[in-house]
Amino acid sequence: MNIFRLIVTTTCLTGALYASAQIQPSLNTTHEESGYVPNGYSLVWNDEFDSGTELNPNDWTHEVQQPGWVNHELQYYLNHKTPGGTPVTEIKDDALIIRCLKESGRICSGRVYAHVKTGWTYGYIEARIKLPKGKGTWPAFWMMPVNFRSWPADGEIDIMEEVGYHPNYVSSSLHANAHVHSNGTQVTHEMLCNGAEDEYHIYAIEWTGQKITTFVDGKKQLEYANRGLGRDDWPYDDPFYVIFNLAWGGDWGGAQGVDESALPVEMLVDYVRVYQNNADNSEPGDNLKIGNTSFQKTTSRIYKATANFEQGKDYAVTGDDRLSDTSWYSDPDFFRRNADGTLKFIAVSGNYEVTADFYSNYFKVIPLDANGQWLTFNKETGKGAIWMMGNDKVGKPSTAFAGNWGASNGWSPTPEMFFPVPQVADRLYQLTLTVGEQLAATDVNFKFFHQAGYGNNSSDEFNNTADCRITTTSDVFRIDTSENGNIKLKDGVTLAEGTTYVFTIDCADPKNVVLHVADAKTGIKTITSSAEGDDSVYDLQGRRISAPAKGIYVRKGNKFVVK
């Protein structure tokens, strides 16, 4: 469906159906297979629509909404029947019929959800569908997340859509923060399906933690790979539920007008089947460990371990044969493979929460504070954790061992390019780099991140966007706004070998952070206030001090002494 469809919550759903409805079973294994199901998948749920007259309320939920609810669509979504008694959904002739009609001046139709409270995570899902005819129709077979909070952040998977003014052309789309219809970045593909409105065709999706592929009669329609860029690009590791609906008009369906003379129209679904990979369904054993620390199960196939790790030590990840699968990846990349294929965790010293996701072969690493709370940066409060990422031009910091970050952006990956920036005071973070050791003399290029545990992309950076801007007071370094806030040297500047620079990130205003840079020898040379009229006090390393003791400080660019 379209971009504005889901500015809602599932609290508006109703599962109430008529008590007289005849119920068909939730799993029917006597059907004939399509021949398109990939090897290794087994049927876990299906509806063949071959018994009864109404949908099983244990499986299905009707949406009830008025026109304009989403996408400026013109229909009323009703619970099973119109006020006049005409079904908008019914089981008849071994098919689910979703009917759109006009009654008493109102356009009425149906929209139904399968297992809306549980859904499925990953699998092969197919439905055999005959599409309606008429300008104004907008049928869809798609999926939304069970734990929906906001769109498009939580994702949307459109397996099949068609609009009546463009008959027999079916499309598949994916929506997320990083690809959304409103700015033309959505992932989508359209293909001609001859006879889509005259006969049944099979529309399907194979969905794993690594890739989503949709099909029309076994032919590939859309393919999109998990690029390891975090949730903004891949919010598809959560349970999603199946949706069938027949909209009338709206932003897309009515883009060329509607023809009410075509009503009533029907979308026919012969069956819908959900398969899951046999290997994906198993749980790790009780011996899953990282070093000597055991993982604890949080939900199905999701395990967490919390421990203090020391830099320079290797922590083996053991306890499940699937860990040998080379598709495992991590965020950030603190994992390596030994020569024998086993995994090891190589940490920056500190306390971490490590999540092992056996749905998508994915490790997520989050730094923790002394109280065990996440240290991810909060853009509202200015508190949390900040990380630095630099390419091989920055040097090889001795404070960390990480790797392969930034390769997707064209940066040369090195093992030492990603490490934490210590917090030295309330909303102040400070890093010391020496030219020739951690800092290049001429070709400086690095950046600061505030969400190391969620991916390497612009939403996690301090850059030039409205909600996480970064500026600098330095007369040596500059912010390259063309590269999302990369820190570089000003034109013509060459740093002296052995000079030490103190980089202080002031997050007093977390949406407009200020980078101060001081030459450790000259102290406050480049330090100024973070905002006009600000009376903040800084020490000679650029740290904002709330209660200065004896020493030399700076306020509004001027030195003063506390005796």
Side-chain angles (χ1 to χ4, degrees):
M1 295 293 284
N2 200 309
I3 56 166
F4 301 111
R5 177 179 47 243
L6 241 126
I7 313 301
V8 297
T9 68
T10 55
T11 56
C12 61
L13 309 181
T14 173
L17 294 176
Y18 289 83
S20 61
Q22 302 176 46
I23 305 304
Q24 77 266 21
S26 298
L27 184 61
N28 181 345
T29 59
T30 61
H31 59 268
E32 181 180 348
E33 293 286 350
S34 66
Y36 299 133
V37 182
N39 292 332
Y41 284 85
S42 297
L43 185 70
V44 296
W45 178 83
N46 66 325
D47 202 331
E48 302 298 310
F49 308 118
D50 55 4
S51 64
T53 60
E54 297 178 5
L55 290 170
N56 184 342
N58 295 320
D59 292 329
W60 296 94
T61 305
H62 280 78
E63 181 65 83
V64 177
Q65 288 292 344
Q66 296 187 2
W69 169 54
V70 287
N71 305 322
H72 303 99
E73 295 165 13
L74 304 177
Q75 78 288 328
Y76 287 81
Y77 280 131
L78 302 179
N79 183 7
H80 180 61
K81 292 182 179 180
T82 69
T86 303
V88 293
T89 62
E90 67 172 325
I91 308 299
K92 184 178 179 181
D93 298 329
D94 293 338
L96 165 65
I97 301 174
I98 302 179
R99 185 176 289 113
C100 183
L101 68 151
K102 189 172 184 178
E103 179 182 287
S104 301
R106 295 183 172 185
I107 307 297
C108 305
S109 191
R111 171 166 163 159
V112 293
Y113 307 141
H115 287 233
V116 68
K117 294 182 179 181
T118 56
W120 298 271
T121 304
Y122 310 136
Y124 175 82
I125 304 170
E126 70 175 21
R128 188 168 181 261
I129 305 171
K130 179 181 176 181
L131 302 180
K133 292 183 179 181
K135 188 167 71 172
T137 60
W138 186 358
F141 166 35
W142 53 298
M143 304 181 75
M144 284 297 296
V146 170
N147 300 311
F148 174 78
R149 292 155 298 185
S150 64
W151 189 94
D154 291 322
E156 174 183 326
I157 302 172
D158 299 330
I159 303 170
M160 184 283 304
E161 296 180 273
E162 188 230 37
V163 290
Y165 68 80
H166 194 40
N168 300 317
Y169 281 86
V170 295
S171 66
S172 294
S173 302
L174 299 175
H175 300 274
N177 275 344
H179 38 267
V180 60
H181 185 89
S182 58
N183 59 17
T185 61
Q186 82 278 13
V187 176
T188 190
H189 188 271
E190 181 183 78
M191 67 184 294
L192 174 64
C193 178
N194 287 314
E197 298 181 350
D198 297 307
E199 56 195 15
Y200 283 98
H201 291 266
I202 295 175
Y203 306 95
I205 178 173
E206 184 179 13
W207 166 32
T208 71
Q210 290 74 49
K211 184 169 62 176
I212 288 176
T213 309
T214 64
F215 303 89
V216 179
D217 294 331
K219 297 178 182 178
K220 186 185 297 183
Q221 158 83 302
L222 177 148
E223 183 176 84
Y224 190 74
N226 184 347
R227 301 178 291 173
L229 300 180
R231 187 174 175 81
D232 278 351
D233 188 71
W234 185 269
Y236 311 115
D237 291 327
D238 297 323
F240 279 62
Y241 58 90
V242 169
I243 306 171
F244 292 108
N245 72 280
L246 175 51
W248 182 254
D251 296 325
W252 191 18
Q256 296 188 17
V258 299
D259 179 10
E260 291 189 0
S261 67
L263 298 172
V265 294
E266 295 177 345
M267 174 184 180
L268 305 182
V269 184
D270 181 32
Y271 65 77
V272 56
R273 300 168 184 165
V274 178
Y275 303 79
Q276 289 191 315
N277 191 299
N278 297 331
D280 284 347
N281 292 326
S282 62
E283 296 285 349
D286 295 333
N287 296 321
L288 187 65
K289 292 183 177 182
I290 180 167
N292 294 322
T293 302
S294 295
F295 282 88
Q296 303 298 319
K297 181 178 179 179
T298 57
T299 60
S300 176
R301 285 170 278 170
I302 306 294
Y303 290 72
K304 291 185 179 180
T306 300
N308 279 295
F309 297 97
E310 296 182 33
Q311 184 179 329
K313 290 187 176 181
D314 295 351
Y315 297 86
V317 186
T318 58
D320 194 282
D321 291 341
R322 284 171 292 180
L323 294 169
S324 62
D325 189 332
T326 57
S327 66
W328 279 86
Y329 66 101
S330 63
D331 184 5
D333 187 11
F334 287 162
F335 290 82
R336 294 291 181 277
R337 285 206 179 271
N338 297 309
D340 61 1
T342 56
L343 271 174
K344 59 183 177 182
F345 178 72
I346 304 174
V348 179
S349 292
N351 195 27
Y352 292 88
E353 175 187 280
V354 181
T355 300
D357 182 343
F358 281 83
Y359 281 113
S360 53
N361 292 0
Y362 168 61
F363 289 106
K364 180 165 71 176
V365 182
I366 298 290
L368 303 176
D369 64 16
N371 298 316
Q373 301 299 309
W374 282 17
L375 273 175
T376 48
F377 185 81
N378 186 315
K379 287 189 285 186
E380 299 299 323
T381 65
K383 298 181 179 181
I386 291 177
W387 301 71
M388 170 188 164
M389 185 182 79
N391 65 9
D392 55 353
K393 301 295 171 44
V394 177
K396 297 183 177 181
S398 59
T399 57
F401 191 100
N404 290 343
W405 271 62
S408 61
N409 290 343
W411 285 31
S412 301
T414 63
E416 299 88 1
M417 64 192 300
F418 187 76
F419 54 99
V421 180
Q423 183 173 358
V424 294
D426 181 40
R427 293 181 290 183
L428 280 175
Y429 303 80
Q430 194 167 87
L431 186 70
T432 300
L433 302 176
T434 300
V435 181
E437 296 180 18
Q438 299 92 20
L439 200 60
T442 56
D443 196 3
V444 172
N445 187 9
F446 64 92
K447 66 178 65 176
F448 294 106
F449 279 69
H450 51 74
Q451 292 288 37
Y454 286 97
N456 171 26
N457 56 67
S458 60
S459 68
D460 300 332
E461 302 166 346
F462 292 104
N463 50 39
N464 61 336
T465 62
D467 65 342
C468 53
R469 294 182 61 86
I470 184 169
T471 56
T472 185
T473 61
S474 175
D475 55 7
V476 176
F477 297 87
R478 64 184 175 90
I479 308 296
D480 190 336
T481 57
S482 67
E483 290 195 22
N484 288 327
N486 288 27
I487 314 301
K488 297 184 177 181
L489 292 174
K490 289 189 173 182
D491 291 343
V493 172
T494 299
L495 303 180
E497 191 80 8
T499 303
T500 297
Y501 287 90
V502 180
F503 296 81
T504 302
I505 305 174
D506 185 343
C507 298
D509 179 354
K511 294 185 178 180
N512 294 278
V513 305
V514 180
L515 172 65
H516 302 294
V517 186
D519 179 335
K521 295 180 180 178
T522 60
I524 61 167
K525 178 180 179 183
T526 61
I527 302 297
T528 61
S529 312
S530 60
E532 184 177 354
D534 181 15
D535 288 330
S536 298
V537 175
Y538 297 87
D539 67 13
L540 297 187
Q541 276 73 48
R543 296 176 294 194
R544 185 159 37 83
I545 305 299
S546 58
K550 293 181 180 180
I552 301 174
Y553 300 93
V554 60
R555 179 167 53 198
K556 293 185 176 180
N558 299 311
K559 293 180 182 177
F560 68 95
V561 177
V562 176
K563 296 183 178 180

